[in-house]
Amino acid sequence: MNEQLRELYQEVIIDHGRNPRSFGELCGATHKLDGFNPLCGDKLTLFMKVNNGVIEAIQFNGSGCAISVASASLMCEALKGKTLSEAKNLFAHFHAMVAEDKATNDSLQKLAVLAGVKEFPARVKCATLAWHTLSASIDGQDEAVSTE
Ligand code: ZN
């Protein structure tokens, strides 16, 4: 990755980490699930309003490191208006990018800013916490998700 691109990615992560989008409890949520990453202390609650298999609204709240907050913020932005199966598919690509060191998939678009996380294995759980919570919520799990 060239230096300019890396800096741009860094800026997006810092921006979303400090000023997360889609932040706050969602009224009328059909899905609500807590996620926890004990390794870093990241905690979030994910809210979704799903209608006919489409994610009409998605928000989160909680607290954690910049990577976990930025990842949740970017995830919510990316998933608004997507179907549940599209969301699962995107999670698979995202996971492949940060945890399996696979090449970035075009469908990831802005989520590619988190590709650098793969160089820091301890941060992979920060970056995937929101996604694991999403996946469990789609599966109908009601027990809080833990990355450990
Ligand atoms: Zn973290």
Side-chain angles (χ1 to χ4, degrees), residues 37 40-42 64-68 123 125-127:
N37 172 19
C40 180
D42 309 317
C65 67
I67 299 275
S68 72
R123 311 315 295 276
K125 284 177 177 166
C126 303

Side-chain angles (χ1 to χ4, degrees), residues 107-144:
S107 64
L108 288 168
Q109 297 181 17
K110 207 172 172 188
L111 296 167
V113 300
L114 287 157
V117 165
K118 66 181 171 227
E119 289 164 39
F120 308 95
R123 311 315 295 276
V124 169
K125 284 177 177 166
C126 303
T128 54
L129 173 65
W131 289 92
H132 282 297
T133 309
L134 166 88
S135 179
S137 185
I138 290 174
D139 292 343
Q141 185 177 318
D142 50 15
E143 224 172 278

Side-chain angles (χ1 to χ4, degrees), residues 35-129:
F36 183 43
N37 172 19
L39 219 61
C40 180
D42 309 317
K43 274 184 205 174
L44 63 81
T45 304
L46 185 69
F47 305 92
M48 282 194 291
K49 193 174 173 189
V50 178
N51 189 9
N52 270 332
V54 175
I55 302 172
E56 288 188 338
I58 177 166
Q59 289 183 200
F60 76 103
N61 64 17
S63 60
C65 67
I67 299 275
S68 72
V69 173
S71 181
S73 172
L74 288 159
M75 181 190 83
C76 289
E77 261 195 347
L79 295 182
K80 223 164 281 172
K82 294 267 194 300
T83 66
L84 294 178
S85 61
E86 283 169 340
K88 280 268 194 175
N89 196 29
L90 211 50
F91 174 40
H93 287 305
F94 184 79
H95 196 269
M97 175 181 77
V98 298
E100 297 156 38
D101 202 9
K102 298 247 172 71
T104 310
N105 184 286
D106 285 346
S107 64
L108 288 168
Q109 297 181 17
K110 207 172 172 188
L111 296 167
V113 300
L114 287 157
V117 165
K118 66 181 171 227
E119 289 164 39
F120 308 95
R123 311 315 295 276
V124 169
K125 284 177 177 166
C126 303
T128 54
L129 173 65

Side-chain angles (χ1 to χ4, degrees), residues 6-23 60 65-74 77 110 113-114:
R6 191 185 291 270
E7 267 172 35
L8 172 71
Y9 282 10
Q10 203 67 33
E11 270 172 36
V12 174
I13 293 167
I14 291 167
D15 176 35
H16 276 262
R18 283 193 187 143
N19 305 297
R21 322 299 197 263
S22 313
F23 192 84
F60 76 103
C65 67
I67 299 275
S68 72
V69 173
S71 181
S73 172
L74 288 159
E77 261 195 347
K110 207 172 172 188
V113 300
L114 287 157

